Every structure is written in C-alpha cells, then in structure tokens.
Amino acid sequence: MARRIGIRILLGLFTVTAVVLLTFVLQYVVPGDPARSIAGPKASPEVLAEIRGRLRLDDPLWSQLGHYLGSVATGDLGTSYSHDRPVLSLILERLPATAVLAAAALTVELVLGGLWGLWEALRPKRSWLLATINVGLLSMPVFSLGFLLLLFFGYKLPVFPIDGGTGPAQIVLPALTLGILGAPYYANVVRDSVREALSSAYVRTAVAKGLSRRRIVTRHVLRNTASPVTTLLGMDVAVFLSGVVFVETIFGWPGIGQMQTSAFAALDRPLLTGTVIVAASLVVTANLLVDLVRTAIDPRTASETP
C-alpha cells in the first residue's frame, strides 16, 4: 500500500511539473504584449522598455524558465497584471466559491445519477425514454444547457436571481447545469455495477437464504457500486474544473473559472497560468485522495498496478 501511494505521489508530481512547463510555453503562445496590456495603448517606448525589464521579458528564454520554475517551487505564481496583487492570493480568494459550486453540483450528480441508474438496473427492460434523455445529455455542451436554464428560469420564469453572487438562490442554476450533465455518467456506472452484482454468486446465495429484496440491494448490491462510483468521482474533478469556466461566466458565479476568463481577456498571463497550475494540483490531489478512499472501501484494489 505504501509503495502504491508513493508511486501515485511521484506520478502526481511529474504531472504538475509537466503542467508548469506547459504554462510557461503558454505565455508565449497567447497573443499580445504583456507590457502593452499593463501600460495601455498610448504608452511610450521608454515605459514599455521599463516594464519589460521589470518583468524579465528581455532576458534569454532559459533564464526566464529558471526564474519561473524557481518562483513556482516556492509558491510564488507571480503578480497579476490587471490586479497588481499576488496571483496565489487572488486564486485563494475565489477558490472557496468554486469548491462550494463543485460540491453542490456533485450532490446533484450523485443523487440524480444514482437513483436513475438504480431504477434502470432493477427494471427488466431499459426505458427508451431515459435512454434517449441519456444520449441527449451526453451530447449537450455545458454552455448550451446553462443558457437554456438561464433563459427559462432566469428570464421567462424569474424563479432564480441572475445577478451573480454566492447565495443559496444563486447557486441553484449553475449547480444544476453541471450536475444534470454529469448525472448520465453516474447512472451508467451504477446501472452496470448493480446488474453485475445482481448476477453474482453472493446475491444468489442471499436469495437462497430468504433475504428480502430490499435488504439484498441495500446491504450487498449498493456496497459493491461504491468503488466504481468513487473512481468516477476522482475523474470528475478535472471535468468540473473545465466546466466551471463556462458555468461561472454564464451565471456570474465569482469563482476561479470566471477569473480565468477575465485573465484571458485582459492578457493577464501570470493569473491565467496560475489558475492552470492550481487546477492541475487540485486534480492530482483529488485523485490521490479518491484512490485512498477507494482502497478503504474495497481493499482488493490495493493490489492493482498504479
């Protein structure tokens, strides 16, 4: 078990290091002049030269890379061009809002997808209506559903506020947007796991002992669906962090996704790359924690190759 955790930590560090190198390259791929975006379109050449010198933009590429890696290793993600504040402090201010949104959306996914998958698994034939809805949701982009919910429940039927913020009423629509689109994945996993468990030998033994159907499902079948659902949960972290960029922008939710969009529009390269690095670190950490939880639920996974 210790060897498995050690290998996962090393792989996670390798992944974060690769992301850091990619973000350095990203700074040169994103079009625009950082000095011009800071000083404005009417800045003199002298002012632009001073800003480039302060930001080390005129240094050789290898020197800039060394300074960048050293700063990231010490937790310094740079200073935001548009906010003139440390990038890490800006991200930490927005991170709780994104975490709350992800938790609410995850609750929607688990409840809706779990009940959906369980209902389909216990039926002798699959519902064609639910199958059609499943395919439709899997094919729908996140921003399309977000705009539809915003149109109907924000404008046509003004049930929920659309003025942004982090209140209980403001979180409903963005959480539903992320949760509804993720529910089919959980429904498929739960359905397949439950059907596999129902056809297993231990379930036949439980039936032979005269146990009730409810007890068989709750005590034996659902327990065996926890491991694959937990695995999907770890993969969902990356999906959430990519989906919140659109959802937070659509609904005005003040999280790191909305800040990332603003940083891209303002050519704020340190803030943009900083959000990417923090997101990659969160994904690696979440997958490690999920792997530990999965091992605690099902000790047989400890013998699997990382």
Side-chain angles (χ1 to χ4, degrees), residues 81-101:
Y81 296 162
S82 55
H83 299 274
D84 195 24
R85 289 180 54 194
V87 169
L88 186 59
S89 65
L90 290 171
I91 294 176
L92 292 179
E93 287 180 359
R94 297 289 192 100
L95 190 58
T98 299
V100 170
L101 175 58

Side-chain angles (χ1 to χ4, degrees), residues 192-203 220-221 224-225:
D192 295 340
S193 300
V194 170
R195 287 183 174 176
E196 182 180 356
L198 288 174
S199 62
S200 62
Y202 63 84
V203 170
H220 301 282
V221 174
N224 286 273
T225 66

Side-chain angles (χ1 to χ4, degrees), residues 4 28 38 57 79 101 121 153 179 204-205 227 242 256 258 275:
R4 177 184 175 86
Y28 293 91
I38 295 173
L57 297 178
T79 302
L101 175 58
F153 297 105
R204 291 195 296 269
T205 303
S227 181
S242 61
I256 59 175
Q258 186 188 54
T275 55

